[in-house]
Amino acid sequence: MTDSLPQLGSRIGIIAGGGTLPFAVADSLAARGITPVLFALKGACDAARVAAYRHHWLGMGAFGKLLRLLRSEDCRDLVFIGSLVRPSLSELRLDWGALKVLPAVLAAYRGGDDHLLTGVGRLFEGYGFRLLGLKDVATDLLMPEGCLTRMVPDAAVEADIAKGRALLATLSPFDIGQGCVVIEGHIVAVEDTGGTDELLRRVAQLRANRRISAKPGRGVLVKAPKAGQDLRFDLPALGPKTIEGLIAAQLGGVAVEAGHTVVAEPQAMIAAADRAGVFVVGTRA
């Protein structure tokens, strides 16, 4: 914790989606004497792992129930973390609390993921809660600047990284994704609603179909938050699973924006990258 971070309460609510990140955040808070309370989203959060923490289960759309639980747990500060497939409006089971704010929910849905999350965030703020990001509560989970692996990008790869960052900055206003793959100066694929895992699967399939002529081990996955994005929500993330995807896609490595990217299981990720001979680098924002 540094003086630049907000003063945190003794309890923090974690709206927990899928993956390992909700638990990494909970462990980081607990290590500093702050009690995490997980509000686990049904169909997303890992039921086996969440059992080890103080938690409550929630269906998508149970806004009123969540407000009651947050107040009963004395959680004024909230963090949204974890993977989540955006549900359609028809899939939501809105309780009475959600129906009361239905116009705001509908307005939030009329846009991309960042627009949706920011709109939901305003709802909570309107009820007196404070929405925080990982930069506020768990800086130890953010990607540092520099290369973390034995393998480092060469000058040609650095040019690919610069091209990928320029592309993502240009696409930011359209709110469609946070990643792309560049191979020897060619933009091969751009992340969409399928996320990074699906992006890497597409690149692997392109290689299998011989639509990519570059040698295996060339090319880079580039990830960065969207320009103007609310950095409390939906930061780019990477971990051991990302390395698996890089290997399958036969890429040389991944470059992400330092300080604005969440790293899950960093030791396991670096070990996997070194075994595979790929690089993981944090670029200056």
Side-chain angles (χ1 to χ4, degrees):
M1 301 287 290
T2 70
D3 293 338
S4 64
L5 297 181
Q7 183 64 42
L8 301 178
S10 60
R11 288 189 169 205
I12 291 184
I14 300 174
I15 313 299
T20 63
L21 287 175
F23 312 112
V25 173
D27 292 341
S28 177
L29 291 169
R32 302 199 305 276
I34 299 170
T35 301
V37 183
L38 277 69
F39 298 88
L41 298 176
K42 293 178 180 177
C45 190
D46 187 323
R49 293 198 63 177
V50 79
Y53 301 83
R54 184 170 184 84
H55 70 281
H56 302 274
W57 283 101
L58 289 167
M60 297 296 293
F63 183 68
K65 178 182 178 180
L66 176 56
L67 292 181
R68 292 192 299 273
L69 288 171
L70 288 169
R71 288 167 178 151
S72 69
E73 291 282 4
D74 194 26
C75 292
R76 184 176 67 90
D77 292 335
L78 304 178
V79 179
F80 285 76
I81 194 72
S83 59
L84 185 66
V85 176
R86 176 173 172 157
S88 66
L89 280 171
S90 63
E91 292 174 320
L92 297 178
R93 297 295 179 262
L94 303 179
D95 64 9
W96 179 241
L99 289 172
K100 289 196 294 185
V101 295
L102 185 58
V105 173
L106 293 174
Y109 256 84
R110 297 190 187 105
D113 289 344
D114 191 53
H115 178 80
L116 172 61
L117 289 167
T118 300
V120 171
R122 290 196 194 99
L123 278 177
F124 283 99
E125 290 171 339
Y127 281 87
F129 298 96
R130 184 170 64 161
L131 274 295
L132 301 174
L134 283 209
K135 296 189 76 171
D136 303 314
V137 302
T139 56
D140 54 310
L141 301 181
L142 296 175
M143 179 73 181
E145 187 175 339
C147 191
L148 302 184
T149 50
R150 290 195 294 267
M151 181 66 70
V152 298
D154 59 23
V157 174
E158 293 284 4
D160 282 350
I161 293 170
K163 189 165 192 173
R165 285 172 58 88
L167 172 70
L168 294 176
T170 301
L171 293 177
S172 285
F174 300 98
D175 194 9
I176 61 171
Q178 299 176 307
C180 65
V181 170
V182 186
I183 303 177
E184 296 181 341
H186 299 285
I187 295 166
V188 173
V190 177
E191 183 180 304
D192 55 21
T193 55
T196 301
D197 293 342
E198 180 58 33
L199 168 66
L200 293 174
R201 278 193 288 270
R202 282 193 279 126
V203 175
Q205 189 60 51
L206 288 171
R207 283 205 186 267
N209 294 339
R210 299 184 180 180
R211 299 293 300 276
I212 295 175
S213 59
K215 293 180 180 179
R218 302 301 298 173
V220 58
L221 166 66
V222 183
K223 299 189 70 168
K226 303 157 195 166
Q229 175 180 336
D230 189 331
L231 295 176
R232 297 173 299 175
F233 309 113
D234 195 27
L235 287 179
L238 72 159
K241 192 173 182 181
T242 311
I243 305 303
E244 293 175 9
L246 292 176
I247 295 169
Q250 301 179 49
L251 296 176
V254 56
V256 298
E257 193 169 288
H260 294 152
T261 303
V262 188
V263 182
E265 302 177 86
Q267 292 181 330
M269 178 191 70
I270 295 169
D274 283 339
R275 285 194 301 271
V278 300
F279 62 81
V280 177
V281 63
T283 61
R284 183 173 299 177

